[in-house]
Amino acid sequence: MSLLAVALGILPMSQSAVSDIQGAEQLRLNKCIELIDQDAEAAFEESLAWLGEGGRPAARYCNALAIIAMGNYKEGAARLEELANAPDAGALADRAIYLAQAGNAWLTAGYPEAALVTLDNAVKISGDDADVRIDRASANLMLERWDAAIEDLDFALEQKPNDVTALQLRSRTWLQLENFDNAEADLNRAMLIDGKNIETLVLRGDIREAKRLAGG
């Protein structure tokens, strides 16, 4: 083999070739996510086969999501967090998504302390993302960190004033602080936006009962 041929063989791939590979991986990831919605176990098996082909970030992401969909939230959260901290995780925006999803999985698994650490890191990357702030508020609420929860929810509602979940969470936090006026104000806003939301209706009952007991 000539020196020229050897040199050509070790040159990096062209930008178009890299783009083709990335496009193919994104397509495969999209199919994996669709399969997760239909059959999480089948998606998990697909992710294992994909991992056997090299274990690229998209394959690890597919694997973690499939594990979460099968109900193993703790393991899935750990894998997402590991992916977020990996050298090949991708752009900061990708890492923030992995961390936010890991935080939600930790919350579902019943580990609010781990969720808070993960979501703190997500906020450091994407501090202006209202949804990440709402997620962190959920962790703070579970840990009875009322002031921190209010701070995150205030920020989120400045960005998304009609977010029902944020209104519900802030109303419930005010309820924990026995600030019934503020709790009812957020409840009423949530009712105007979606008066049939089950969680909002439950919250209304909780506020009424808390006021009754306080009055007693």
Side-chain angles (χ1 to χ4, degrees):
M1 181 181 295
S2 70
L3 291 176
L4 178 59
V6 172
L8 288 173
I10 63 173
L11 282 174
M13 289 184 293
S14 68
Q15 187 62 46
S16 61
V18 171
S19 297
D20 288 344
I21 292 172
Q22 292 174 340
E25 290 220 331
Q26 184 62 53
L27 181 60
R28 189 170 182 178
L29 177 59
N30 292 343
K31 289 182 178 179
C32 172
I33 293 173
E34 290 177 4
L35 184 57
I36 287 172
D37 291 335
Q38 301 165 6
D39 188 339
E41 291 186 6
F44 176 69
E45 293 299 325
E46 162 62 20
S47 74
L48 292 179
W50 195 359
L51 286 170
E53 298 171 14
R56 290 178 59 80
R60 305 199 308 271
Y61 185 43
C62 168
N63 178 257
L65 293 181
I67 289 172
I68 290 171
M70 291 191 297
N72 193 342
Y73 300 104
K74 181 180 178 181
E75 177 64 22
R79 295 197 182 198
L80 282 173
E81 198 165 351
E82 181 181 356
L83 174 59
N85 293 317
D88 60 349
L92 286 177
D94 296 323
R95 295 173 190 269
I97 290 172
Y98 302 148
L99 288 169
Q101 291 178 328
N104 276 292
W106 283 125
L107 283 174
T108 305
Y111 293 90
E113 295 90 351
L116 184 58
V117 171
T118 304
L119 291 166
D120 276 343
N121 289 329
V123 169
K124 289 176 184 177
I125 296 174
S126 58
D128 292 337
D129 190 305
D131 291 327
V132 176
R133 291 295 189 99
I134 292 169
D135 292 337
R136 191 171 70 172
S138 296
N140 281 316
L141 186 55
M142 290 179 68
L143 293 169
E144 300 184 2
R145 291 163 45 93
W146 315 125
D147 290 342
I150 292 292
E151 182 179 347
D152 274 336
L153 294 167
D154 284 349
F155 180 92
L157 285 164
E158 286 180 4
Q159 309 296 318
K160 300 173 67 176
N162 293 325
D163 190 289
V164 172
T165 298
L167 288 167
Q168 290 169 342
L169 288 173
R170 194 169 68 174
S171 177
R172 191 162 291 283
T173 306
W174 287 127
L175 178 59
Q176 293 295 331
L177 293 168
E178 296 187 353
N179 187 327
F180 300 127
D181 289 341
N182 283 355
E184 286 188 321
D186 283 340
L187 170 70
N188 291 336
R189 283 177 60 188
M191 290 288 294
L192 286 173
I193 296 165
D194 184 2
K196 296 182 180 180
N197 185 290
I198 296 300
E199 292 186 17
T200 302
L201 295 174
V202 170
L203 177 60
R204 181 175 63 178
D206 291 342
I207 293 174
R208 287 176 175 175
E209 179 63 11
K211 289 181 67 176
R212 185 186 68 80
L213 293 173

